[in-house]
Amino acid sequence: MKNKSELQNYVSETINDLSTQPWYPNDYCNVASKHLFDALKESWEKNIRLQHSYREPWDGHTYVVINKNWKDIILDPTYSQYDSKYKDWFIGEHFPDKTLEKNR
């Protein structure tokens, strides 16, 4: 698996590609996550999936998960809509937002 800085580059490229679109990052998780998923799938990662969570029913959130050695790593190019501390992206094992994490 690539290291965290390489993953950050993939997420940063996704953000750069889409950040000029209206309503980014809000209402853009599906497009951004699919864009990131396609880039990762094409280049190197086989054990990758799109995954969903939600804070409120019918208000879903999409992101990418890489599984390596039975460990999930979340890559979320639009997490900043939930937490301003994550201005550019979120990469980690668990969401800091407890509701999103619980509903994974």
Side-chain angles (χ1 to χ4, degrees), residues 28-88:
Y28 240 79
C29 65
N30 289 326
V31 174
S33 294
K34 178 68 167 119
H35 187 81
L36 176 60
F37 174 85
D38 290 344
L40 289 167
K41 191 81 168 169
E42 180 180 302
S43 65
W44 60 273
E45 192 60 54
K46 292 184 178 22
N47 204 356
I48 183 172
R49 68 185 183 273
L50 288 173
Q51 189 165 318
H52 306 279
S53 185
Y54 62 92
R55 289 174 95 186
E56 299 288 330
W58 304 105
D59 184 18
H61 182 62
T62 305
Y63 49 94
V64 175
V65 174
I66 294 173
N67 184 281
K68 188 70 171 179
N69 298 326
W70 304 99
K71 181 176 167 183
D72 282 347
I73 305 296
I74 299 166
L75 306 172
D76 190 342
T78 61
Y79 187 72
S80 62
Q81 65 185 302
Y82 296 106
D83 190 336
S84 61
K85 288 189 298 188
Y86 297 91
K87 192 166 72 170
D88 294 324

